[in-house]
Amino acid sequence: MTMKDKVAIVGMGCSKFGERWGLGVADLAIESAYEAFEDAGVGPKDIEACFVGQMYAPVGGLAGAQVADALKFHNIPVLRNENWCTSGHIALIQACMAVASGAYDVVMALGVEKLKDTGYPGLGTGRGMSPVYEARRTAPGSFSLIATRYFEQYGLSLEEGKQTIGKIAVKNHQNGLLAPKAHFHKAITLEDVMKAPIIAQPLGLFDCCGNSDGSACAIITRADTARTLREDPIYVKGFGVAMDTVLPHSRPNFNWTSFDALKTSSSKAYAMAGIKSPREEIDLAEVHDCFTITEMLIYEDFGFSAPGRAKEDIDAGFFELSGGLPVNTDGGLKCFGHPVGASGLRMTYEIYKQLQYKVDNPKRQVRNVKRGLAHTFGGGPQLSAVLIAGNEKG
């Protein structure tokens, strides 16, 4: 089934991200949902189903109860998913499919997570206790292997490699300065990146995103009725989701510098959206910068840069706000932090506002935008979700 131009986003909200010690999950959900209600001109009673992305729950589970109670949803489906870092995007894609199928006319997708008071350390706790799944290997450890291999494969010295990915950190922090809802507002220099404490060689402190609390929300309806709610709906053009094995490096010829899930998910989204040359046809993107090397790999696996050529584009400023394809225009995970279940919808919120020319700080508004891409990448990593949206129907 193709999704292109069958559904539209008519309202979105996003909480302030950060250390929200005084608020609970319900408060964060209300903060983003009521911005979305006001934006769409609807209320809780208009929502026919709600799809929730949230990673953390007690051993006994939570279902969708926290969101249902907070928003006073009664006798409608409130369906919670946990798909690691892609949970927010999966909720959004499920909501879009529910409308496109004809099952519902107006639904909500909401991502929410509160990490700061859970004690979650950011380094991760590995892959559970299974010896097959390499118990205790952490996220920084995994992505440091990817960076080391990339530098070796493409002939970059440690100094050259660290400077290259360091420019991504500098870019994202500069963009984050212009995003009022971001967690971190700190300008950094390349020298700061190079001298930062090492987390997992070669990745230093500024190559890694932090944890955060936050929530983001979208209201979706049929594309053919969207203009009855607002003049500038944003149309869903395509999506792609792909899951690979937890241990892709057990596959012969796996090289650590490219991931099948990234290539497959983006290819599916491009095919649905009718995009043949993403470097030219995508106007801006929010991608999963959990680590700076991750953003660099995504440039290549998404076809924004040719394999092994991302360094040239980074050096030329191609992905900066004034470049040919701005990436992470709100500062990305580097500045918003990563409240896991909320991130995918937060990234889509930036794309939605950019496509409407209604960014909360005009200094980071990208000009002449028609299509934007939002993406999350989770797991070991091996699960990737992509959604492409546009401001013109057809």
Side-chain angles (χ1 to χ4, degrees), residues 10-234:
V10 290
M12 288 204 76
C14 181
S15 76
K16 175 78 172 69
F17 278 41
E19 297 179 340
R20 306 296 301 274
W21 302 112
L23 302 181
V25 168
D27 302 304
L28 293 170
I30 288 170
E31 192 172 320
S32 67
Y34 273 81
E35 181 187 340
F37 286 143
E38 183 177 358
D39 188 42
V42 302
K45 292 183 179 178
D46 297 306
I47 303 300
E48 300 169 40
C50 179
F51 298 83
V52 179
Q54 185 184 23
M55 180 172 174
Y56 285 93
V59 173
L62 279 172
Q66 289 176 304
V67 171
D69 287 352
L71 302 181
K72 302 189 186 309
F73 288 151
H74 299 300
N75 295 322
I76 67 168
V78 180
L79 308 175
R80 172 180 170 271
N81 86 84
E82 178 278 299
N83 276 282
W84 294 317
C85 307
T86 68
S87 300
H89 265 131
I90 297 299
L92 177 58
I93 291 167
Q94 289 174 325
C96 291
M97 289 193 294
V99 173
S101 72
Y104 305 104
D105 287 333
V106 182
V107 303
M108 170 179 283
L110 188 145
V112 63
E113 207 82 63
K114 189 156 173 52
L115 290 180
K116 297 304 294 185
D117 47 5
T118 64
Y120 183 74
L123 292 176
T125 54
R127 297 168 172 177
M129 298 309 295
S130 167
V132 176
Y133 284 177
E134 299 181 350
R136 320 317 293 173
R137 182 150 70 83
T138 66
S142 296
F143 284 88
S144 71
L145 296 174
I146 294 168
T148 301
R149 176 63 187 179
Y150 187 97
F151 298 168
E152 194 280 333
Q153 180 165 321
Y154 293 111
L156 302 178
S157 68
L158 177 61
E159 181 87 0
E160 290 173 321
K162 280 184 63 67
Q163 287 183 349
T164 300
I165 59 177
K167 291 177 182 177
I168 293 173
V170 172
K171 167 184 72 73
N172 289 354
H173 274 268
Q174 187 60 42
N175 293 346
L177 280 175
L178 304 175
K181 293 184 177 181
H183 183 167
F184 300 104
H185 294 101
K186 179 180 175 62
I188 61 172
T189 65
L190 191 56
E191 184 179 12
D192 294 329
V193 178
M194 299 298 284
K195 291 183 176 178
I198 292 296
I199 303 300
Q201 181 74 306
L203 304 178
L205 179 66
F206 292 117
D207 291 303
C208 312
C209 79
N211 284 334
S212 193
D213 303 328
S215 175
C217 177
I219 295 172
I220 296 100
T221 191
R222 291 162 36 199
D224 61 348
T225 60
R227 283 189 175 273
T228 64
L229 293 173
R230 66 179 309 134
E231 288 296 316
D232 53 356
I234 298 303

